Amino acid sequence: MFRIFLITFLCLSNNTIFSQKIFTIDEFIRNSEKSIEDLKMAKFASLNKNEDRLFRKGFLPDVALNFTFPAYNRSISEVAQPDGTFEFKETNSANSRVSLSLSQKLPFTGGKITVSNSLNRLDLFGAQRSTSYSASWFGINFSQSLTFFNDMKWEQKIQEAKYNYNNIIYLQKRIETKKTAIKYYFELLKFKNQRTLLNAEWNSASKYKKVISNLISAGKRLPYDSIDVELKLLDIYRNQVFLKKEELLKIKSINSFFNSDFLADSDKLSVPGLAFDLQSADVYIERYLEVHEILRRNNLTGLQKEMKQLESIKYYSANLALGVGFNNAADQYQDIFQNPNQSQNFTISLSVPLLDFGKRKTEYEISKAKYEIESISLDQDKRNSIEKINLLREEIADYYDALKIEKSRADLLQNKLRIMETLLLSQKILYAEYSDIERSAYDTNMDIMNITEEIYNKITDLEKITLIEIVKNDN
């Protein structure tokens, strides 16, 4: 029995042997910004910005200088002769080219304009040895769809909706990480709180055991009377041992989450404050509607584009191509600069479906149905979320009321315990009566921890829906 007391004493004294730090829940939340999950979210945010930047750069002019180094070609072909016979002729040639081009998308019309020039050299070897040059000194081309559907305009809308949506996801993921930090805080706080309560039970049981032992020694009580308190001490010791192991495992898990040796076994946690600056449900609903609009645009813009595109080619599809340029060819390099030839091109391509068996109409109906289904789902999500905001706000208020009741209950039980301890030590009540009240005080204390945790959980749920940070008023 002495060994049990010694080991337990060392366990209880562990916090005083090593240096202690006192952590708050706010420190846990701030430190979660160093967690692996938060680092992943930072990469996600950076990726979203770079993708948006890359998309916008796609509307800037595209300038390219291209080289084709001499490409050698050797072929043997059958050539008809004047007398009707055929001979096999060998051809050896090398072709090289350099070109400079500039292209620009036109977001307002959905068209594209390209300006280019090029210089070519052709070398023939063998009996037909010669060198020739050709050049396109200036060429400008314009292409445009004539269906009045601006693909680039819709792509801009889709990218903007995607960018804003990804920002929403980023903020929600950070709140999820915050919620994980809160969960770990309360799990560890409960372990440490249980240990404190068990220590208090141990102390009261030890006092009573000493009183009983003295009475037994004086012959006023039978040895049988000490059995209950001995059993109580053994139960407490067993719970302390298992609780200590579970606490160490939890600390290891928390440090793994924070990706550092954030916590030590001897560190303490303070009970979180609950002075949150809560606003009316209407304020949170108004903010949620802004978030919902971003989600709506992300989910519907692509479907809207598909519908408009199918609608634009319902009766026909057409494209316009215009071009003008100057080019020349010569045997001497310096001659290609003289008397350039002018060229123009004008093309309108038109496609009219005469008989497609209702294919385009069916495609449009399918696209429209997808849009309507997604729109209905979004409206349903909006109604559910608004109901949840109202419910969360009411639940938080209810938990505050429940917390006041439990704290009053805990105070009364503590006062009752102090009175009963005096009665117990003076042998005016049974130990079983005292132990029952002590267990009730223990359970009430844990209920306070659970309610406090629920308040934090409900607040982070509200933050995730509305993206409004609910801060604590420390004043």
Side-chain angles (χ1 to χ4, degrees):
M1 181 61 68
F2 175 75
R3 292 176 59 191
I4 293 177
F5 281 104
L6 179 60
I7 294 172
T8 305
F9 174 78
L10 291 175
C11 289
L12 299 178
S13 304
N14 185 55
N15 287 343
T16 61
I17 295 175
F18 303 99
S19 61
Q20 296 177 342
K21 295 180 181 178
I22 300 177
F23 288 97
T24 65
I25 193 169
D26 294 329
E27 289 176 301
F28 260 56
I29 293 172
R30 285 194 298 270
N31 204 68
S32 66
E33 297 176 359
K34 301 176 183 179
S35 66
I36 295 177
E37 288 299 319
D38 206 78
L39 291 175
K40 285 167 60 178
M41 285 302 99
K43 294 293 183 182
F44 175 82
S46 177
L47 176 63
N48 187 39
K49 290 180 181 179
N50 287 333
E51 286 181 341
D52 185 67
R53 188 180 299 115
L54 178 62
F55 176 83
R56 298 186 184 283
K57 286 183 177 181
F59 291 95
L60 298 176
D62 186 9
V63 181
L65 180 63
N66 300 305
F67 295 91
T68 301
F69 294 99
Y72 176 75
N73 179 59
R74 177 180 180 272
S75 63
I76 299 175
S77 57
E78 190 178 37
V79 180
Q81 300 300 309
D83 58 1
T85 60
F86 292 89
E87 290 186 5
F88 291 94
K89 298 289 187 178
E90 180 183 31
T91 302
N92 289 282
S93 64
N95 185 36
S96 56
R97 173 186 174 89
V98 60
S99 64
L100 177 65
S101 65
L102 181 149
S103 61
Q104 174 66 61
K105 295 179 180 178
L106 305 175
F108 295 107
T109 66
K112 184 178 181 180
I113 187 169
T114 303
V115 179
S116 63
N117 62 14
S118 62
L119 174 64
N120 302 280
R121 171 173 170 161
L122 177 63
D123 292 293
L124 297 178
F125 305 107
Q128 300 176 341
R129 185 181 184 87
S130 64
T131 300
S132 61
Y133 300 90
S134 62
S136 173
W137 291 118
F138 177 77
I140 181 169
N141 292 277
F142 171 71
S143 60
Q144 174 68 53
S145 172
L146 299 179
T147 59
F148 304 102
F149 176 78
N150 190 336
D151 184 78
M152 280 182 276
K153 179 181 177 181
W154 280 101
E155 286 299 318
Q156 283 182 301
K157 289 183 178 180
I158 291 173
Q159 174 58 30
E160 182 181 358
K162 177 185 176 183
Y163 176 77
N164 292 332
Y165 173 77
N166 285 338
N167 284 337
I168 294 294
I169 296 300
Y170 166 72
L171 294 174
Q172 289 179 337
K173 290 291 185 181
R174 292 204 65 181
I175 293 173
E176 281 292 331
T177 304
K178 173 183 175 180
K179 192 169 184 177
T180 302
I182 290 172
K183 177 178 75 74
Y184 279 133
Y185 187 88
F186 277 100
E187 286 177 349
L188 186 58
L189 179 62
K190 288 175 186 178
F191 280 125
K192 291 184 177 296
N193 190 54
Q194 287 178 54
R195 195 203 297 184
T196 301
L197 295 173
L198 285 173
N199 291 348
E201 285 188 297
W202 177 273
N203 291 333
S204 62
S206 298
K207 287 182 183 178
Y208 182 68
K209 183 179 183 302
K210 185 176 181 181
V211 171
I212 290 296
S213 297
N214 291 336
L215 291 173
I216 292 173
S217 299
K220 297 180 179 180
R221 297 292 293 269
L222 297 175
Y224 171 82
D225 295 329
S226 67
I227 293 178
D228 285 344
V229 70
E230 293 284 358
L231 291 173
K232 181 70 173 181
L233 287 169
L234 288 173
D235 286 341
I236 295 173
Y237 170 71
R238 179 194 60 195
N239 292 336
Q240 286 174 329
V241 171
F242 284 108
L243 186 65
K244 182 64 177 178
K245 291 180 179 179
E246 292 176 356
E247 182 181 342
L248 291 174
L249 290 174
K250 182 56 62 178
I251 290 174
K252 184 177 180 180
S253 179
I254 292 173
N255 285 335
S256 177
F257 169 74
F258 286 127
N259 198 28
S260 64
D261 293 331
F262 179 63
L263 284 171
D265 174 39
S266 59
D267 294 335
K268 291 186 176 182
L269 305 180
S270 62
V271 178
L274 290 170
F276 287 102
D277 188 12
L278 286 169
Q279 304 180 64
S280 67
D282 291 338
V283 174
Y284 298 114
I285 291 172
E286 183 179 355
R287 172 54 179 155
Y288 163 72
L289 293 177
E290 296 175 5
V291 175
H292 176 77
E293 184 59 27
I294 294 174
L295 302 179
R296 186 178 183 86
R297 288 178 183 175
N298 178 74
N299 292 8
L300 294 182
T301 305
L303 296 174
Q304 286 178 323
K305 175 193 173 184
E306 184 179 343
M307 285 173 52
K308 293 294 184 181
Q309 189 171 21
L310 290 171
E311 191 175 10
S312 69
I313 61 173
K314 184 176 181 180
Y315 301 107
Y316 72 94
S317 60
N319 290 282
L320 169 67
L322 294 172
V324 63
F326 298 91
N327 54 72
N328 206 350
D331 292 335
Q332 300 295 325
Y333 172 74
Q334 60 272 18
D335 293 340
I336 60 174
F337 293 95
Q338 301 176 6
N339 302 320
N341 300 312
Q342 186 177 2
S343 63
Q344 300 89 20
N345 68 282
F346 174 81
T347 305
I348 294 181
S349 60
L350 179 66
S351 175
V352 180
L354 297 178
L355 184 63
D356 70 346
F357 302 99
K359 179 181 177 182
R360 294 193 180 187
K361 181 180 179 181
T362 304
E363 288 177 342
Y364 177 78
E365 290 176 351
I366 292 173
S367 178
K368 184 178 180 181
K370 290 179 180 178
Y371 176 86
E372 291 174 348
I373 291 171
E374 186 62 30
S375 182
I376 292 171
S377 297
L378 286 167
D379 289 339
Q380 185 178 11
D381 289 342
K382 180 171 72 172
R383 289 193 297 270
N384 293 340
S385 296
I386 290 174
E387 289 178 6
K388 188 172 183 179
I389 290 171
N390 286 314
L391 180 61
L392 285 171
R393 188 63 182 82
E394 291 179 6
E395 286 180 332
I396 292 171
D398 291 341
Y399 276 122
Y400 268 109
D401 292 338
L403 187 63
K404 291 178 182 177
I405 294 172
E406 290 301 317
K407 285 185 175 179
S408 298
R409 178 181 170 83
D411 291 340
L412 290 172
L413 287 171
Q414 286 300 322
N415 291 333
K416 187 173 183 178
L417 273 177
R418 282 193 289 270
I419 296 171
M420 291 184 70
E421 184 178 18
T422 303
L423 296 174
L424 175 66
L425 297 178
S426 63
Q427 296 295 292
K428 293 182 179 180
I429 61 173
L430 297 175
Y431 182 72
E433 295 179 68
Y434 179 85
S435 182
D436 288 342
I437 299 302
E438 193 173 41
R439 177 52 52 180
S440 295
Y442 176 96
D443 292 338
T444 300
N445 192 285
M446 294 307 300
D447 287 341
I448 290 174
M449 291 293 101
N450 290 330
I451 293 173
T452 304
E453 182 180 12
E454 282 300 318
I455 292 175
Y456 271 87
N457 287 335
K458 298 300 179 183
I459 284 176
T460 51
D461 287 341
L462 190 57
E463 287 180 335
K464 185 176 179 181
I465 296 174
T466 63
L467 299 184
I468 294 179
E469 183 181 5
I470 303 175
V471 298
K472 285 192 292 186
N473 186 5
D474 296 329
N475 296 327

